[in-house]
Amino acid sequence: MRICVILEGCYPYVTGGVSTWMHQYIKAMPEHEFVLLTIGASSEDRGKFKYELPQNVVEVREIFLQDALKLPSGGRKYRFSGEELQALTDFVHCENPDWEVLFGMYNDRKMSPMSFLTSPEFLNILTRICEKDFPYTAFSDMFHTLRSMFLPVLYVISQDVPKADLYHAIATGYSGLLARLGSYRYHVPFMLTEHGIYTREREEEIIRARWVPAAFKRFWVRFFYMLSGAVYQKASMITSLFDNARKTQIELGCPPKRCRVIPNGIHYERFCDIPLKKEDGWIDIGAILRLAPIKDVKTLIYAFYELRFRMQNVRLHIIGPEDDEQYAAECYALVEQLGVQEVIFTGMTNILTYMEKLDFTILTSISEGQPLSVLESFAAGRPCITTDVGCCRELLNGMAGDDLGCAGICTPPMEREALCSAMERMSVRTEERYRMGQIGKKRVERFYLHDDMIQNYRNAYAEVMKNWQESVSH
């Protein structure tokens, strides 16, 4: 089977997290051909892959959102039908437009994305919105904000989508729209896998973002909910990593019958024989993460700084790539400002060998799905401190039917005092630390094996194709 996997802002340009998951996923299914349809920000990243692609990746198509800004303004005048104008009006209002009508305009008939955005019809719609909802906002601000919001979407749905037997989006947003577009073009099914809930993650980012004027934050949130709704409506199957995520998807409009939970899985055998760290008078804490704001490395650094006033024999190893160069520079500067010499930035390294140096691990994210780094830490017999986001509490304490016990400490996000106390407790309670590590190891062996995950996705593909063929035959 030829499967088009659609990814936004991750594999194969970025390492870790979803990218690692995707790379191992494709390698584990040599019976299928995979086409990668990737969405990035800038064309400067074209071809700059961080992975050597598996042999069963037969094609890569790259789309870069900033290329939309290079489109010529205007274009030929277009007379919109009543149906088209209604779809465009609903689109601008972020109110569940008829996507098939928009696909027909921008993909089938190749209408320029700029034609509508420079048309009197667009200006009329904006004027009504501005008068009704933004009476104290400059119209020019409204115009440029909404045009920057909608142009990338119209650009994305105007792209040629590679032909496949099945489209598999690894998020909603732009990638989910492309999966639905592929389904529309070639009359085949598409499915969605969410590692985190895209709409909730974008909502959190918009609320915190300084680049979004306060007046427009609610509109941006509606925009991302609209994109996710487009995918939830039509996907043949929607998978998530844990039950609470599935419940959230249903709350956001996913039909329950089409929702499945398929937990992550790791290669347990790669980690299970890593020996525990030899006693050397130090307690070594590992934070395996990307240097990015969503990982909240700064709170971790502050918490460790406070820990150093309580304990002298502790070291913090921050292990992973610079996902955001500016944020990484801010983290380095913070460590220098605080004068904490026991913070070690390792960059990219072989985690299998580095794990031998660690007593336990910590993850301070403000948003997560079901982090692989926690599962890998458990498989190596290292307990973990996590923030209470995503599936982290469930990983530490066990899901329904799991009576193994507690494999770590869960703290509220962005609370340095709670993180500091958790690190102190894990550092001084040697027997408890060992017991938690063994519980985590058993949990992974029982519930989170890579082979089980791959088989579950094979079954999902088979079910989607079978149901689609039955619906077509009827």
Side-chain angles (χ1 to χ4, degrees), residues 266 268 271-274 276 288 355 360-361 371-386 391-398 402 404-409 426 434 436-445 448:
I266 65 164
Y268 173 78
F271 295 87
C272 64
D273 293 327
I274 295 175
L276 295 179
I288 305 166
M355 190 70 79
F360 64 92
T361 64
L372 296 175
S373 63
V374 173
L375 296 177
E376 291 170 348
S377 178
F378 284 176
R382 272 72 174 174
C384 195
I385 297 169
T386 75
C391 188
C392 290
R393 182 176 289 277
E394 183 177 288
L395 291 180
L396 297 183
N397 297 333
D402 176 350
L404 291 172
C406 181
I409 304 172
M426 193 74 82
Y434 175 78
M436 286 180 169
Q438 294 307 302
I439 289 170
K441 194 168 191 173
K442 292 175 184 176
R443 180 161 291 140
V444 170
E445 185 178 20
Y448 298 102

Side-chain angles (χ1 to χ4, degrees), residues 70-285:
K70 301 174 185 177
L71 294 172
S73 298
R76 72 179 183 87
K77 299 297 181 182
Y78 193 92
R79 180 169 294 184
F80 303 102
S81 69
E83 183 183 49
E84 291 170 342
L85 190 57
Q86 184 61 56
L88 289 166
T89 301
D90 292 340
F91 174 61
V92 175
H93 282 86
C94 299
E95 293 179 349
N96 189 26
D98 189 327
W99 288 100
E100 274 66 28
V101 170
L102 296 177
F103 292 161
M105 296 168 64
Y106 289 97
N107 205 274
D108 295 343
R109 296 193 293 281
K110 301 299 181 184
M111 175 178 163
S112 167
M114 292 299 295
S115 293
F116 171 63
L117 297 177
T118 56
S119 70
E121 289 85 354
F122 180 60
L123 291 177
N124 289 338
I125 296 169
L126 280 196
T127 300
R128 291 195 293 272
I129 292 174
C130 201
E131 290 174 347
K132 181 176 181 293
D133 298 324
F134 299 90
Y136 304 109
T137 301
F139 183 81
S140 60
D141 292 344
M142 182 81 181
F143 174 82
H144 290 294
T145 296
L146 267 66
R147 191 165 76 164
S148 68
M149 188 183 295
F150 299 129
L151 176 58
V153 177
L154 300 182
Y155 176 72
V156 162
I157 66 174
S158 70
Q159 300 300 302
D160 290 329
V161 179
K163 189 174 183 179
D165 301 308
L166 171 69
Y167 293 86
H168 189 177
I170 314 299
T172 57
Y174 302 111
S175 54
L177 269 186
L178 280 173
R180 180 165 172 177
L181 174 62
S183 175
Y184 164 87
R185 285 277 312 207
Y186 298 109
H187 309 289
V188 296
F190 81 96
M191 61 181 285
L192 166 69
T193 290
E194 287 198 282
H195 286 249
I197 303 301
Y198 182 92
T199 45
R200 295 291 168 82
E201 291 177 352
R202 300 292 81 73
E203 185 172 10
E204 290 173 4
E205 288 177 5
I206 293 298
I207 290 170
R208 296 192 310 272
R210 296 179 181 177
W211 60 270
V212 182
F216 297 120
K217 288 195 174 189
R218 186 175 297 178
F219 211 107
W220 271 103
V221 171
R222 280 171 49 195
F223 168 76
F224 285 117
Y225 273 76
M226 173 183 69
L227 298 188
S228 292
V231 185
Y232 290 155
Q233 288 171 3
K234 293 288 186 178
S236 295
M237 183 181 290
I238 299 153
T239 74
S240 57
L241 300 179
F242 52 101
D243 194 55
N244 280 342
R246 176 181 179 273
K247 291 176 181 176
T248 300
Q249 289 172 331
I250 293 170
E251 289 172 6
L252 294 173
C254 292
K257 290 184 179 179
R258 287 192 253 141
C259 294
R260 300 283 189 281
V261 174
I262 301 180
N264 271 336
I266 65 164
H267 293 285
Y268 173 78
E269 67 282 357
R270 297 177 62 200
F271 295 87
C272 64
D273 293 327
I274 295 175
L276 295 179
K277 201 196 85 176
K278 295 179 180 179
E279 178 61 44
D280 61 358
W282 286 88
I283 297 297
D284 290 281
I285 307 166

Side-chain angles (χ1 to χ4, degrees), residues 320-357:
E322 295 182 2
D323 191 45
D324 182 316
E325 290 184 4
Q326 179 179 342
Y327 186 79
E330 292 171 3
C331 291
Y332 302 147
L334 178 60
V335 168
E336 185 174 350
Q337 175 189 338
L338 296 175
V340 192
Q341 297 180 350
E342 293 80 12
V343 175
I344 303 161
F345 291 94
T346 72
M348 287 294 293
T349 189
N350 185 338
I351 193 59
L352 292 174
T353 55
Y354 209 93
M355 190 70 79
E356 295 184 23
K357 303 177 182 181

